[in-house]
Amino acid sequence: IPDVIKKSQGVKFKVILQEKNFNKFVEGNNLKQFVEDGSLVLQDFLSTHHLLLQEVAKSKAVLIPSHYHTTGEFSMLEALMFHKPVIAFNCGIHSEIFKDKENGMIADIGDLEGYINKIQQLNSNPELYLQVSRGSRELFNKLTSIENFKQAIHNALML
């Protein structure tokens, strides 16, 4: 986290924690300077899912920094629902559904510099931001289409 924030100058980050022990999180991740200079805002766990969705709706983009193929899907769908670009690593479902700079911003697994570059590109290029936002809306519509759901059920039952 510190490297991403440090190298993404001019970008403000918000981390929503599931616990209220901010000090442990800040100290354990060397984030004190970023909290003090305002480039990192910490939000305690929100009491309802509705409040979490409000935070997603207010964001410019949603970062999914996981290298694991089974994390972040719920956050990913919430971001797409609000037409927010997702910045993620090329693993799991991300590699199957995202097209870089079309409906998401995707970095190679372990390529932190590439990940940071994706954040900077999205932040500094309004045309790219709009393009990826439109693509994220289209992807959400595709992923949640009742016709696609029916086809997936049909395919599963035909096996």
Side-chain angles (χ1 to χ4, degrees):
I1 296 175
D3 288 338
V4 172
I5 297 171
K6 187 185 312 176
K7 295 179 180 180
S8 300
Q9 295 179 358
V11 177
K12 188 173 183 178
F13 294 87
K14 179 177 271 190
V15 173
I16 300 174
L17 298 173
Q18 293 187 5
E19 56 188 63
K20 294 194 179 217
N21 191 347
F22 289 157
N23 290 336
K24 181 180 175 185
F25 179 77
V26 169
E27 291 171 12
N29 290 288
N30 299 318
L31 300 172
K32 185 176 180 180
Q33 71 187 59
F34 305 115
V35 172
E36 289 174 351
D37 73 15
S39 57
L40 175 64
V41 175
L42 301 174
Q43 170 77 49
D44 63 349
F45 185 70
L46 301 167
S47 60
T48 67
H49 189 247
H50 177 72
L51 293 174
L52 177 63
L53 292 179
Q54 286 179 342
E55 289 298 320
V56 172
K58 292 188 295 188
S59 70
K60 184 171 186 175
V62 174
L63 306 180
I64 302 178
S66 177
H67 290 207
Y68 301 101
H69 65 280
T70 59
T71 57
E73 285 81 1
F74 196 64
S75 299
M76 177 194 73
L77 281 174
E78 290 171 334
L80 295 174
M81 176 176 69
F82 287 108
H83 315 155
K84 302 298 179 181
V86 170
I87 304 167
F89 287 103
N90 194 21
C91 63
I93 194 171
H94 307 151
S95 62
E96 297 173 22
I97 65 170
F98 286 114
K99 293 183 178 126
D100 190 42
K101 297 183 182 177
E102 290 181 30
N103 59 11
M105 300 294 283
I106 306 301
D108 290 333
I109 297 172
D111 182 5
L112 187 59
E113 293 298 322
Y115 191 82
I116 293 165
N117 185 268
K118 301 295 181 183
I119 296 169
Q120 292 169 333
Q121 288 178 43
L122 205 58
N123 191 53
S124 64
N125 186 335
E127 289 176 12
L128 177 63
Y129 178 80
L130 288 174
Q131 175 180 315
V132 176
S133 294
R134 282 191 291 269
S136 68
R137 179 188 65 232
E138 292 168 9
L139 178 58
F140 178 78
N141 291 339
K142 178 182 174 185
L143 292 173
T144 59
S145 158
I146 191 67
E147 291 305 317
N148 286 343
F149 178 73
K150 286 179 189 177
Q151 187 62 47
I153 295 295
H154 175 75
N155 292 344
L157 294 176
M158 294 300 290
L159 296 177

